[in-house]
Amino acid sequence: MNARPLPTQDDEAWRYSDIEAVARLWPLAAPESVLVPAGGAFERVIAPEGGVIQLDLVLGKGARAALTLLNAARDYSRIEISALLHEGADFSLIAVQIGGGEATLEIVTTLTHAEPDATSAQTVRMVTGGAATCTFLGKIIVAKDAQHTDAAQSVKAMLLSETATANAVPQLEIDADDVKCAHGCAVGQLDAAALFYAAARGLDPQTARSLLLEAFVAEVCADDTALLVQARDALGRVG
């Protein structure tokens, strides 16, 4: 079991958490550890109904890991991903968070590029309504010897109400000098012009809103039909 003391919001990794909800789950079980051997591949879809999931990955030389996350619980849900990348490894993350009511949803990632020529890409979309809070904390660490690292993050969040909150905190710690690291973040609301365009073509406001939200999420999960169906159901609860 996790012997650490209960975190507080003074801890950067738990700043936006629902600490009362965390206390009900504490102490946490030990993280699941997965070693992907050299040249191997690992894929997983994670769609929890609540609680805390912790996954620690080690990717051997030339290994590949691909994770797809749908965090759409009705209460509190946190997904923590840690990945250590060796030479030539590749890590990809596609994540969707959809929160409504008073839900607190979190995705926290820590990627360590430990050796040269590894690549990572993280694409996150968040839709937040009601008084919900959705958070993505993404840290990328590039070690001194990890030359030719190629790491990217793309985070976009859609706010559906004045009481909804979206937090996106990218962090880069780079000790190598020949790397390509990029991150982009945008938080906004539904495009009024797009809503007007849809209305002008006969769509009622609710249908137009639903279609725009589904298109926003489908940017990252259109290739997974089952996941898109789950996301659509979650959007129905929120929007």
Side-chain angles (χ1 to χ4, degrees):
M1 299 294 286
N2 194 329
R4 293 180 299 166
L6 181 69
T8 71
Q9 290 182 323
D10 291 333
D11 184 337
E12 181 66 27
W14 298 86
R15 177 188 293 186
Y16 306 105
S17 295
D18 180 344
I19 298 300
E20 290 185 4
V22 176
R24 293 192 291 270
L25 300 168
W26 207 263
L28 304 178
E32 178 185 0
S33 297
V34 175
L35 171 62
V36 187
F42 175 82
E43 295 185 4
R44 180 172 293 181
V45 176
I46 301 174
E49 295 183 358
V52 178
I53 291 177
Q54 297 173 305
L55 177 62
D56 290 348
L57 297 171
V58 176
L59 279 62
K61 182 177 181 180
R64 179 180 63 85
L67 300 180
T68 303
L69 313 181
L70 174 60
N71 201 14
R74 297 172 185 264
D75 187 10
Y76 176 75
S77 181
R78 179 182 175 96
I79 303 172
E80 293 185 17
I81 305 294
S82 174
L84 176 67
L85 283 64
H86 289 286
E87 182 180 355
D90 177 72
F91 174 89
S92 68
L93 173 77
I94 290 175
V96 176
Q97 291 201 113
I98 302 172
E102 297 183 353
T104 299
L105 308 179
E106 303 174 281
I107 294 175
V108 181
T109 65
T110 303
L111 306 186
T112 302
H113 287 253
E115 295 180 349
D117 300 311
T119 57
S120 64
Q122 301 177 79
T123 306
V124 181
R125 298 293 180 265
M126 301 189 290
V127 178
T128 313
T133 299
C134 286
T135 297
F136 173 75
L137 306 180
K139 179 184 289 188
I140 298 174
I141 301 169
V142 181
K144 182 177 181 180
D145 295 329
Q147 304 296 344
H148 309 137
T149 286
D150 188 345
Q153 283 183 358
S154 170
V155 185
K156 295 181 181 180
M158 190 78 71
L159 297 175
L160 304 183
S161 69
E162 294 183 356
T163 52
T165 303
N167 304 300
V169 185
Q171 299 179 54
L172 299 176
E173 298 181 8
I174 303 173
D175 290 327
D177 54 15
D178 185 6
V179 303
K180 183 165 65 175
C181 294
H183 61 79
C185 175
V187 178
Q189 299 175 325
L190 285 170
D191 186 347
L195 288 171
F196 177 81
Y197 179 88
R201 277 146 184 78
L203 292 178
D204 64 87
Q206 184 58 45
T207 300
R209 176 185 172 98
S210 297
L211 287 174
L212 289 175
L213 289 175
E214 185 174 331
F216 177 72
V217 169
E219 286 182 356
V220 297
C221 65
D223 293 335
D224 190 324
T225 302
L227 191 70
L228 186 57
V229 169
Q230 293 182 61
R232 187 184 297 122
D233 289 344
L235 287 172
R237 298 197 308 267
V238 172

